[in-house]
Amino acid sequence: MDSESARRGRTTAVVTDYRPPTDVSDMDILIDETRIGDRIKAMAAEIEADHPDGDEIHLVCVLKGGFVFMSDLVRSMSPRVTMDFIALSSYGKSTKSSGEVRLLKDLDSGLEGRRVVIVEDIVDTGLTLTYLQDILRARAPRSLKTACLLSKPSRRLVDVKVDYIGFSIEDKFVIGYGLDYGEKYRNLAHIAVLSGE
Ligand code: IMP
């Protein structure tokens, strides 16, 4: 018991080696935590370097899948970052895109004259991103760039511009680090291939 805990009459367990109880035995780890972390720092540096000194960089996170990526990315960036969140329809429990995109939650503030970067978990067919870039471009930002942690180039149906790509991967359905299957597995610290894929 440390002196502060003793003074308050409470016991505090000092936990140094806690790991969340995730059973990953039936999943293949595709990209581990360390590689993700290193790549995100490099992406943050690239984004900073591409935007003129002193200009605000407004990051638009695509919910829900982009929330972990966004959270690590912004913590590797300078205080000139501001952020907002938008939600688009997802696949639900399917592992294939329906091709239909719907806006579920809009941004809280306007984009006119701002330097905007979309922060998305993965670009697959490219339909979601094309839709999003179109609606955000119509709001007259000063610049609009896109950062995706993952890309599956072999699945592309439309030619969409992605300025920053973390990792290009094969055509496998992946989970973890924000990505879900039926709303599960978003909290895995690494990216894994869903078993049976
Ligand atoms: P797209 O419109 O086909 O490019 O799909 C983009 C969206 O589909 C992403 O934002 C994800 O939410 C979802 N998605 C695509 N591939 C995967 C995957 O392998 N795992 C989890 N979600 C995926």
Side-chain angles (χ1 to χ4, degrees):
M1 211 186 293
D2 64 32
S3 55
E4 176 62 15
S5 302
R7 193 177 58 76
R8 295 182 182 198
R10 272 198 261 127
T11 336
T12 311
V14 180
V15 182
T16 52
D17 58 356
Y18 172 77
R19 299 293 298 164
T22 34
D23 179 9
V24 292
S25 54
D26 58 349
M27 296 174 197
D28 286 334
I29 296 181
L30 191 66
I31 311 171
D32 68 21
E33 252 179 288
T34 311
R35 276 184 71 205
I36 297 172
D38 290 348
R39 185 70 193 111
I40 286 177
K41 285 194 188 86
M43 292 175 87
E46 264 184 79
I47 296 171
E48 290 274 4
D50 284 354
H51 290 81
D53 272 354
D55 281 11
E56 176 194 288
I57 306 173
H58 190 58
L59 300 186
V60 168
C61 172
V62 186
L63 295 172
K64 299 173 192 166
F67 84 103
V68 184
F69 177 34
M70 174 80 153
S71 149
D72 281 343
L73 188 68
V74 293
R75 284 179 295 165
S76 291
M77 294 183 71
S78 66
R80 62 177 169 146
V81 161
T82 56
M83 60 197 94
D84 205 344
F85 299 85
I86 196 165
L88 303 171
S89 55
S90 71
Y91 297 176
K93 279 203 165 183
S94 163
T95 60
K96 296 290 171 205
S97 175
S98 61
E100 193 188 291
V101 185
R102 278 182 307 128
L103 182 59
L104 301 178
K105 179 219 171 289
D106 206 343
L107 298 171
D108 291 339
S109 60
L111 300 180
E112 196 175 340
R114 302 175 91 167
R115 296 198 180 276
V116 176
V117 180
I118 297 170
V119 178
E120 168 72 302
D121 53 0
I122 188 165
V123 51
D124 186 23
T125 63
L127 294 168
T128 307
L129 213 44
T130 301
Y131 168 85
L132 183 60
Q133 289 180 351
D134 286 350
I135 61 166
L136 298 192
R137 210 173 280 118
R139 299 176 188 190
R142 185 158 178 201
S143 61
L144 180 66
K145 293 187 181 288
T146 302
C148 285
L149 183 66
L150 301 173
S151 169
K152 292 186 205 168
S154 65
R155 295 254 314 147
R156 212 72 93 242
L157 292 180
V158 283
D159 186 20
V160 64
K161 185 171 183 229
V162 183
D163 305 272
Y164 313 98
I165 291 176
F167 303 92
S168 287
I169 61 168
E170 284 176 34
D171 179 14
K172 302 254 183 199
F173 194 82
V174 288
I175 49 172
Y177 201 78
L179 291 142
D180 75 311
Y181 174 60
E183 291 302 325
K184 284 183 72 186
Y185 312 117
R186 292 193 197 276
N187 63 321
L188 298 180
H190 51 264
I191 291 161
V193 178
L194 190 64
S195 58
E197 273 287 296

